[in-house]
Amino acid sequence: MAAIGTLSPANSGVASLLETSRTTVDHEQDGESSLLASPTLVEGVKVSLSGAAIHKSAGSGGDNRDIEESGLPENIQQLLKMIRQLQQQIAEKNARIKAVMADKTLSTEEKIAKLAALKGAIAALNNGLITANLSLSKVMNQSNLTPEQTMKTASLLMKN
């Protein structure tokens, strides 16, 4: 396994809350800023990747590399990426539904509530997917794509 560095307030690119509050206090009370304690550095999150995850990320160069290298117009590429993302989110929600159904520790009421929330989320994602597909169709018709580009778009759309 490989570890990817750590984040601390100093290298995260985000000002710590204490620094932000100190700036506010400095502007409000000129002489009393020395009363605030100095921030302590705390080790951030460590992420470990399995060998399979490292291999997948290094080998594929990203889930949408094929779209980016397709030579299609940028607006079509963005819609294809959006469609893939929505499909992935729907698949994740379906997997969570299966996990809830298999969870023996949940009461019937808890299962019903969780399933209803997941089904509502899937319905919203499906509406977004329909809208993205309609937008893609409209943009393809307006873009005067070559037959090769149309075939490439269709093949990328079908690929998961």
Side-chain angles (χ1 to χ4, degrees):
M1 292 197 180
I4 300 177
T6 59
L7 290 178
S8 67
N11 66 2
S12 68
V14 179
S16 70
L17 292 176
L18 188 54
E19 291 171 354
T20 304
S21 66
R22 177 180 289 141
T23 304
T24 304
V25 170
D26 286 345
H27 290 297
E28 292 175 2
Q29 303 169 346
D30 292 329
E32 297 180 13
S33 65
S34 62
L35 296 176
L36 293 175
S38 62
T40 57
L41 295 179
V42 179
E43 188 173 320
V45 177
K46 288 186 179 180
V47 177
S48 298
L49 296 177
S50 68
I54 292 171
H55 178 69
K56 183 177 180 181
S57 67
S60 68
D63 292 338
N64 296 319
R65 184 178 206 143
D66 55 344
I67 292 174
E68 293 166 358
E69 294 175 349
S70 67
L72 293 169
E74 184 67 28
N75 54 352
I76 291 176
Q77 288 183 25
Q78 292 303 317
L79 285 167
L80 287 169
K81 290 177 188 179
M82 183 186 304
I83 289 168
R84 278 193 185 168
Q85 183 181 27
L86 289 167
Q87 289 171 335
Q88 179 184 6
Q89 290 175 357
I90 290 169
E92 289 170 1
K93 298 290 184 202
N94 282 324
R96 288 180 61 193
I97 284 176
K98 288 180 184 177
V100 168
M101 293 296 290
D103 191 349
K104 303 291 184 197
T105 63
L106 296 174
S107 69
T108 304
E109 293 82 18
E110 290 174 319
K111 280 186 181 182
I112 290 171
K114 288 186 178 198
L115 291 173
L118 288 168
K119 288 180 180 181
I122 289 174
L125 290 168
N126 276 328
N127 286 335
L129 185 59
I130 290 168
T131 302
N133 278 310
L134 289 171
S135 296
L136 178 63
S137 177
K138 182 178 179 180
V139 168
M140 286 177 64
N141 288 335
Q142 293 174 347
S143 295
N144 297 323
L145 299 178
T146 65
E148 294 81 20
Q149 288 176 315
T150 302
M151 291 297 293
K152 184 68 173 174
T153 303
S155 68
L156 290 169
L157 188 59
M158 295 299 204
K159 185 177 176 185
N160 281 330

